[in-house]
Amino acid sequence: FFKGLAMAGAWACFDEFNRIDEEVLSVVAQQVNDLQQAAIMRNYRIDFEGSEITVDPTFAIFITMNPGYAGRTELPDNLKVLFRPVACMVPDYAMIAEIRLFSFGYKDARNLARKIVATMRLSSEQLSSQDHYDFGMRAVNTVIGAAGIMKRQSPDESEDILLLMALRNSNLPKFLADDILLFEGIISDLFPGIQLAAQDYGVLLQTLESTLASSSLVPLPAFTKKCIQLYEVTVLRHGLMIVGPTGGGKTTAFRNLSSTLNDLAGRKPQTPETSRYPAVKVQTCNPKSITMNQLYGAFDDSTHEWADGVLCTLFRKAALDTSQAWNWVMFDGPVDALWIESMNTVLDDNRRLCLVSGEIIQMSKGMTMMFEVEDLAVASPATVSRCGMIYMDPTSCVGINAQIQSWMQRLPKCFGPLTDLLQSHLDTYVCPSAEAMYRECTEWVPTVMNNLVQSCFNILGTLLLPYHTVPASAKLQPDILEHLQQVVPCFFFLSLVWSVGATCNNEGKLKFDALVRGMMAEHQSEVEIPTHPHPLLFDYFFDEENVAWVPWLDTQPEYGVPEEAEFHELLVPTLDTVRNSWLIKTLASKCRHTLCVGPTGSGKTVNIANLLTNGMGENFVPVIINFSARTSANMLQSNLMSKLEKRRTDTFGPAAGKTCTIFIDDTNLPQREQYGAQPPLELLRQYLDHGGWYQYVHPIRFSEIISVALVCAMAPPGGGRNPVSNRFLRHFNIIGFPDTDAANLTHIFTTIMAATLARSSFSDEVRNALSPVVRATVSLYNEVQAAFLPLPASVHYTFNMRDVARVFALMSSTTPNTVPDSLAFVRLWCHECMRVFSDRLINDGDMQTFHTLLNAQLEHYFKMDLMKVTSGQRLLYADFMIPEADPKRYEEVIDTERLTEVVKDYLDEYNR
């Protein structure tokens, strides 16, 4: 570029110059210096980057940039000295506004311009500070543009009223509820005595309400108002962002607005009122689910051929559309400086997409660039100022009551006689219990209330599914209806406990149990859930056939240890595994997505993998994927596509008639990008929100994914695991996997070891020693967890259930010959505890503390001390002392000299 610039004697302006990486800027500085020196020294023929060129001294290079923004770099000193700095002052907004208002035909342009500037200044001073607020020149320009449109539409209307309407329509969509009141106060002071009549949106509002009703959605006034505001902003701005927390209705708003406009545009015959509204074509992409090269396009490193990206493909398709329809290009994903800054020329008045290939694509008149984001915490002011904003708050725009009403409308008509019963329970318990849970309980991961409510609906709907009639409008049989009137309240409480209460830790479940039982007593519920033999709501399953609450473990046959199973293959059912497996199976069988959260070692991976592999039936195809810090979106997509079949054009899924259950372990391990996004999770969210993802081979097209259910597992954030976006979490029923308590640990390992000892015909003395050995192990494990905490000098001091399993893993492989009596069994146990726990310790002080803890367990459970058990000698067991033995014999090493010889023999054999 510089070659052509210097040879042609042209002037060039480089906008946003400090977005270039610092390493590249240093190279640019050297190139600019060579050209400037050639002009100064009048040495016009120079060797430049391997080519001899002739420099025209009239060439000039200009730079414009905004310092200090996100995604900007500091210019190196050797580049700064080559340019003369010029500071641009803030323009006179009032003068600019006055001239532009006068050009639109406003007679009192000066006073109106002052009011615009005063409104923006007071708003910036008095309103709350939000990432998506902007009151600068572009915001002023938007107000002026809106005022000009209104002047053309109503030339005889009062100018004060027109400007007041422009100020309200341009700014109210982006304000939080509290700031709307302050803004109304500001404009009422600047426009005293002026009352605006309520705007009549006529056929647009009527059609929008009917569209929402056809989708079983509640047309709340606040939500329909946001949809109307979205339409108005699309008229004023060609770039806009829909901002708000998860569950605010952002996706629903633009989808239903586009459906409404398409409905109006498709009406025959057209009337003057409906002909104003064009049809809409929407194309959606998640920009963080792909790389920058896949988004904007890039040159192939080997062939040097240009390959289009998703963005330029969608942009070009919209720009070349010759119909009268509007084209909305929606980017549903996090906005950050890594990718959005390259669209500055699109979002400003240039309206052009400039690609690295040199192609420049001009936006068409009906194009709008939309962005759907949760927040703009990492977006630069340059991006915020270029876009119109619509803020959607979950509380006011959707609300829990509307969510309940919407679900009730989607119920099949056969459940009509049960409507009042369901409605009363939902209104009485769901919202109060969720609010109380947030107030008093601790969750494994933060959730949003509308997700918990939807999770309750998912479980309740699944439990009611077997009672659906065919067709749905048919009536239920009287006996079935009578049965449902008995079991529906029980179904509801089972769903409530395993949705709102399922995200809590163990302490939270105790509090949630007390909260729900208190509400049931307060409202005199007819449902009676036992408190004996188990005290908690979580301890009982509802048996619909017998209309009774039964303990979870009573729903399972008695467990027997398989004869030939290896130690690591044994899974002993516990209360937690039985109820969590039931919940995962119930939801996954109906293609509902689940996320299991719990600390490391709580059994998430092994239980989920066992369920999906052995417990789902022939119609379910399990796929297991493990995430790591290096997992990328491309790796994940390639892996998933290799497991799916092509069902029809651009549609993929498992074989016909089957459901693919994809288990993703360590979901929150993928490394976060500079601004916090996790591309693999964004790819999954694109599937969850939009039903598929893009294929990047030419031609780029969207692939629909069908019949796939996700079952994810992760540990809480921390220790290399990252927080996960609520926009991803909201699609899942979240199930807490708590730490296995002492009673369950004792039950698990007593069951396994008892079967092992019985199978190998150990003596009665050894068998009698098993129970105290297991209880001592669990007690020692809890003591070690409390005594040795992870610190900067000992970050590996983390202990979980896997460590308890390691204690018994090799103990289960011994024989009666090596462990003839209880003392030998205790010696073996002491050795395994030392190997598992004390070998991890870093200094003599910690070792002494551990020996004290071990000695305390020996005295309490066996009436021995450590000196008596070890006889003052070092305990050492091994299974390699007899190299040819098959199977290996795990036994105590008495002769240390022999041990040294055996190890040397192994080493010599390895080094040959």
Side-chain angles (χ1 to χ4, degrees):
F1 187 90
F2 283 133
K3 288 181 182 178
L5 183 71
M7 295 176 71
W11 289 12
C13 178
F14 297 91
D15 194 19
E16 308 288 358
F17 193 70
N18 57 340
R19 289 192 57 235
I20 301 174
D21 292 337
E22 190 171 0
E23 296 82 1
V24 180
L25 288 176
S26 297
V27 177
V28 170
Q30 185 59 50
Q31 294 174 347
V32 173
N33 182 60
D34 291 345
L35 296 177
Q36 288 185 351
Q37 289 299 318
I40 293 171
M41 304 299 295
R42 300 186 179 183
N43 181 21
Y44 300 136
R45 293 191 64 83
I46 63 171
D47 182 65
F48 184 78
E49 296 295 319
S51 301
E52 187 173 302
I53 65 171
T54 301
V55 177
D56 186 333
T58 61
F59 84 92
I61 301 171
F62 300 89
I63 288 174
T64 59
M65 63 184 217
N66 294 313
Y69 285 0
R72 305 308 206 273
T73 57
E74 180 71 20
L75 295 185
D77 292 338
N78 62 336
L79 184 61
K80 287 181 181 179
V81 299
L82 302 178
F83 294 89
R84 176 185 175 186
V86 178
C88 296
M89 63 184 294
V90 177
D92 187 342
Y93 292 178
M95 181 181 294
I96 296 172
E98 178 184 349
I99 295 171
R100 292 204 61 202
L101 287 174
F102 190 78
S103 70
F104 285 127
Y106 282 84
K107 297 178 181 179
D108 193 18
R110 177 166 297 180
N111 288 330
L112 295 179
R114 291 173 179 170
K115 290 185 177 182
I116 293 176
V117 175
T119 301
M120 295 301 175
R121 177 176 54 80
L122 291 172
S123 297
S124 65
E125 293 173 354
Q126 297 184 18
L127 271 57
S128 64
S129 178
Q130 303 293 330
D131 294 322
H132 64 277
Y133 283 4
D134 172 60
F135 302 103
M137 187 62 236
R138 288 193 175 96
V140 173
N141 190 48
T142 302
V143 174
I144 297 170
I149 293 174
M150 292 178 180
K151 186 66 174 178
R152 287 194 295 270
Q153 294 175 345
S154 306
D156 298 327
E157 185 63 80
S158 166
E159 292 184 352
D160 279 344
I161 292 179
L162 293 178
L163 183 62
L164 181 56
M165 291 175 60
L167 282 168
R168 285 174 54 88
N169 294 347
S170 301
N171 289 283
L172 285 184
K174 67 186 175 186
F175 289 147
L176 276 65
D178 294 338
D179 288 336
I180 290 177
L181 300 176
L182 295 174
F183 184 77
E184 294 282 7
I186 291 172
I187 58 177
S188 65
D189 291 341
L190 293 171
F191 297 88
I194 297 179
Q195 296 292 329
L196 294 179
Q199 291 180 270
D200 182 14
Y201 294 98
V203 67
L204 177 62
L205 182 58
Q206 295 172 11
T207 309
L208 176 61
E209 290 177 345
S210 64
T211 301
L212 293 171
S214 65
S215 302
S216 299
L217 299 174
V218 181
L220 293 176
F223 183 77
T224 55
K225 184 178 180 181
K226 285 296 178 182
C227 293
I228 298 295
Q229 290 175 347
L230 176 59
Y231 169 76
E232 291 176 339
V233 175
T234 58
V235 175
L236 292 175
R237 307 286 287 260
H238 65 279
L240 62 92
M241 294 185 178
I242 309 175
V243 187
T246 302
K250 301 185 290 294
T251 303
T252 304
F254 87 81
R255 285 179 176 172
N256 282 277
L257 178 59
S258 64
S259 299
T260 299
L261 295 176
N262 286 329
D263 186 2
L264 291 171
R267 291 187 180 179
K268 303 293 183 182
Q270 286 283 308
T271 65
E273 192 172 6
T274 60
S275 61
R276 298 170 46 200
Y277 304 106
V280 176
K281 300 177 182 177
V282 181
Q283 302 174 84
T284 306
C285 167
N286 188 329
K288 301 307 293 185
S289 67
I290 51 182
T291 64
M292 285 287 289
N293 288 346
Q294 291 170 339
L295 183 65
Y296 284 102
F299 286 102
D300 187 275
D301 291 335
S302 56
T303 64
H304 299 288
E305 292 183 355
W306 173 258
D308 277 340
V310 174
L311 186 150
C312 55
T313 301
L314 301 182
F315 196 94
R316 187 185 295 110
K317 179 180 178 181
L320 297 179
D321 185 14
T322 56
S323 67
Q324 298 300 313
W326 283 355
N327 282 274
W328 294 352
V329 183
M330 168 62 75
F331 295 93
D332 182 4
V335 168
D336 58 46
L338 290 176
W339 71 274
I340 191 67
E341 294 288 341
S342 298
M343 294 185 66
N344 282 350
T345 55
V346 176
L347 298 175
D348 62 20
D349 291 338
N350 291 304
R351 298 168 62 96
R352 292 172 178 161
L353 177 63
C354 303
L355 302 175
V356 178
S357 63
E359 182 183 8
I360 298 176
I361 308 175
Q362 181 70 46
M363 287 182 71
S364 62
K365 183 178 179 181
M367 279 184 67
T368 302
M369 308 300 290
M370 291 188 175
F371 306 87
E372 184 181 346
V373 296
E374 186 170 13
D375 59 58
L376 294 171
V378 293
S380 71
T383 299
V384 174
S385 66
R386 283 173 163 84
C387 295
M389 297 289 168
I390 298 96
Y391 180 80
M392 302 194 68
D393 179 54
T395 305
S396 59
C397 293
V398 180
I400 301 303
N401 292 331
Q403 193 176 358
I404 293 174
Q405 188 177 343
S406 176
W407 183 79
M408 293 292 296
Q409 292 175 3
R410 290 196 296 271
L411 278 177
K413 293 182 179 179
C414 63
F415 293 120
L418 302 169
T419 301
D420 293 339
L421 182 62
L422 281 168
Q423 187 76 52
S424 64
H425 279 79
L426 291 169
D427 291 341
T428 303
Y429 294 100
V430 172
C431 193
S433 64
E435 290 175 348
M437 188 276 293
Y438 283 128
R439 186 172 58 250
E440 300 188 22
C441 303
T442 303
E443 298 181 288
W444 290 112
V445 290
T447 59
V448 290
M449 186 180 294
N450 45 46
N451 175 39
L452 298 182
V453 175
Q454 185 58 48
S455 298
C456 181
F457 295 157
N458 290 342
I459 302 173
L460 187 55
T462 302
L463 295 174
L464 292 174
L465 191 60
Y467 297 94
H468 286 197
T469 59
V470 180
S473 58
K475 293 184 178 180
L476 293 167
Q477 296 294 329
D479 57 334
I480 296 178
L481 180 59
E482 183 181 357
H483 177 70
L484 277 175
Q485 287 175 337
Q486 286 183 289
V487 302
V488 160
C490 300
F491 282 169
F492 167 76
F493 283 109
L494 185 65
S495 304
L496 180 71
V497 166
W498 289 106
S499 55
V500 179
T503 64
C504 303
N505 59 13
N506 283 337
E507 293 77 11
K509 286 180 178 178
L510 293 173
K511 296 178 181 178
F512 186 78
D513 174 84
L515 291 169
V516 175
R517 288 190 187 273
M519 285 191 288
M520 293 173 69
E522 179 183 351
H523 296 286
Q524 299 179 351
S525 173
E526 297 179 357
V527 177
E528 294 184 3
I529 304 177
T531 57
H532 183 78
H534 303 287
L536 300 182
L537 296 169
F538 297 89
D539 298 333
Y540 293 92
F541 170 74
F542 179 68
D543 183 357
E544 58 184 293
E545 292 185 6
N546 300 316
V547 193
W549 293 89
V550 296
W552 280 101
L553 289 177
D554 290 355
T555 64
Q556 300 292 312
E558 185 175 353
Y559 178 76
V561 178
E563 286 288 333
E564 302 300 327
E566 298 289 338
F567 180 85
H568 65 274
E569 297 174 347
L570 298 176
L571 288 177
V572 179
T574 64
L575 178 63
D576 288 325
T577 61
V578 170
R579 57 194 183 186
N580 289 339
S581 296
W582 172 85
L583 187 55
I584 296 169
K585 182 176 181 178
T586 300
L587 293 168
S589 62
K590 306 305 177 189
C591 236
R592 301 292 186 184
H593 311 295
T594 56
L595 173 65
C596 302
V597 186
T600 302
S602 54
K604 302 183 296 296
T605 301
V606 66
N607 282 286
I608 295 172
N610 179 64
L611 171 66
L612 299 186
T613 305
N614 304 315
M616 293 296 294
E618 296 180 354
N619 292 329
F620 294 86
V621 180
V623 174
I624 299 177
I625 297 175
N626 293 297
F627 275 5
S628 70
R630 304 301 297 172
T631 300
S632 67
N634 287 342
M635 291 167 54
L636 174 62
Q637 183 171 342
S638 299
N639 197 347
L640 291 176
M641 292 301 289
S642 68
K643 312 295 183 184
L644 304 176
E645 300 178 4
K646 187 172 184 179
R647 298 279 287 270
R648 52 184 180 272
T649 304
D650 294 334
T651 302
F652 297 83
K658 294 185 180 294
T659 298
C660 183
T661 51
I662 299 177
F663 172 38
I664 299 177
D665 199 12
D666 291 323
T667 307
N668 56 349
L669 266 186
Q671 187 175 359
R672 305 177 84 183
E673 291 185 340
Q674 180 181 353
Y675 294 105
Q678 292 172 286
L681 301 191
E682 293 299 327
L683 179 72
L684 293 176
R685 192 176 67 79
Q686 184 170 249
Y687 158 67
L688 294 170
D689 274 325
H690 306 289
W693 44 64
Y694 284 90
Q695 296 276 30
Y696 308 117
V697 294
H698 186 77
I700 291 174
R701 61 196 184 278
F702 187 80
S703 296
E704 182 184 3
I705 309 299
I706 59 174
S707 301
V708 170
L710 298 182
V711 180
C712 300
M714 69 182 198
R721 294 174 172 83
N722 303 299
V724 177
S725 164
N726 276 327
R727 299 199 68 196
F728 177 74
L729 293 177
R730 77 170 186 89
H731 293 280
F732 295 87
N733 274 64
I734 298 176
I735 306 169
F737 264 73
D739 268 325
T740 309
D741 58 23
N744 279 328
L745 283 175
T746 303
H747 169 67
I748 291 170
F749 293 107
T750 299
T751 302
I752 295 174
M753 291 302 297
T756 301
L757 297 181
R759 186 167 57 201
S760 300
S761 302
F762 280 81
S763 66
D764 292 341
E765 183 182 355
V766 174
R767 293 187 195 181
N768 293 335
L770 174 61
S771 179
V773 162
V774 175
R775 286 184 282 119
T777 305
V778 175
S779 178
L780 179 63
Y781 162 67
N782 292 327
E783 293 283 349
V784 167
Q785 270 192 317
F788 303 111
L789 301 176
L791 299 172
S794 55
V795 293
H796 59 289
Y797 279 15
T798 55
F799 304 92
N800 55 53
M801 180 181 169
R802 292 190 180 98
D803 297 304
V804 183
R806 291 188 187 103
V807 172
F808 294 104
L810 289 175
M811 289 181 69
S812 65
S813 65
T814 57
T815 64
N817 293 330
T818 57
V819 184
D821 52 33
S822 60
L823 179 59
F825 195 53
V826 173
R827 284 173 61 85
L828 174 61
W829 173 76
C830 289
H831 172 267
E832 297 306 309
C833 290
M834 290 177 182
R835 298 292 74 77
V836 171
F837 297 116
S838 71
D839 284 358
R840 195 177 303 187
L841 306 180
I842 61 174
N843 55 49
D844 293 339
D846 288 350
M847 293 283 286
Q848 185 61 43
T849 301
F850 173 77
H851 287 152
T852 302
L853 297 175
L854 180 60
N855 193 65
Q857 301 301 326
L858 287 170
E859 291 178 351
H860 183 268
Y861 288 100
F862 307 103
K863 309 305 179 187
M864 304 179 186
D865 59 25
L866 188 59
M867 182 61 67
K868 178 181 177 181
V869 172
T870 62
S871 301
Q873 299 175 354
R874 181 179 180 180
L875 290 178
L876 192 59
Y877 284 74
D879 64 354
F880 53 81
M881 291 301 293
I882 305 176
E884 298 82 12
D886 187 21
K888 297 288 188 180
R889 293 175 56 186
Y890 191 63
E891 58 187 0
E892 185 174 2
V893 177
I894 305 298
D895 187 352
T896 55
E897 293 183 359
R898 171 62 181 158
L899 173 63
T900 304
E901 293 176 3
V902 171
V903 171
K904 285 183 178 180
D905 290 342
Y906 277 116
L907 185 60
D908 292 340
E909 183 177 350
Y910 178 81
N911 290 328
R912 286 176 185 171

Tab-separated table of all heavy atoms in Angstrom, residues 38 631 795 857:
chain	number	residue	atom	x	y	z
A	38	ALA	N	13.271	9.893	2.144
A	38	ALA	CA	13.486	10.027	0.699
A	38	ALA	C	12.979	11.378	0.215
A	38	ALA	O	13.631	12.036	-0.624
A	38	ALA	CB	12.783	8.889	-0.038
A	631	THR	N	-9.479	-26.865	24.311
A	631	THR	CA	-10.573	-27.187	23.397
A	631	THR	C	-11.012	-25.929	22.658
A	631	THR	O	-11.253	-24.889	23.272
A	631	THR	CB	-11.767	-27.779	24.166
A	631	THR	OG1	-11.342	-28.967	24.841
A	631	THR	CG2	-12.900	-28.120	23.223
A	795	VAL	N	-0.571	-25.899	46.726
A	795	VAL	CA	-1.810	-25.819	45.957
A	795	VAL	C	-2.387	-27.195	45.652
A	795	VAL	O	-3.564	-27.313	45.288
A	795	VAL	CB	-1.576	-25.056	44.633
A	795	VAL	CG1	-1.260	-23.601	44.893
A	795	VAL	CG2	-0.450	-25.709	43.828
A	857	GLN	N	-6.924	-42.247	64.873
A	857	GLN	CA	-7.899	-43.190	64.306
A	857	GLN	C	-7.605	-44.614	64.789
A	857	GLN	O	-8.529	-45.379	65.095
A	857	GLN	CB	-7.865	-43.132	62.774
A	857	GLN	CG	-8.172	-41.771	62.184
A	857	GLN	CD	-9.539	-41.248	62.592
A	857	GLN	OE1	-10.487	-42.013	62.752
A	857	GLN	NE2	-9.634	-39.930	62.788
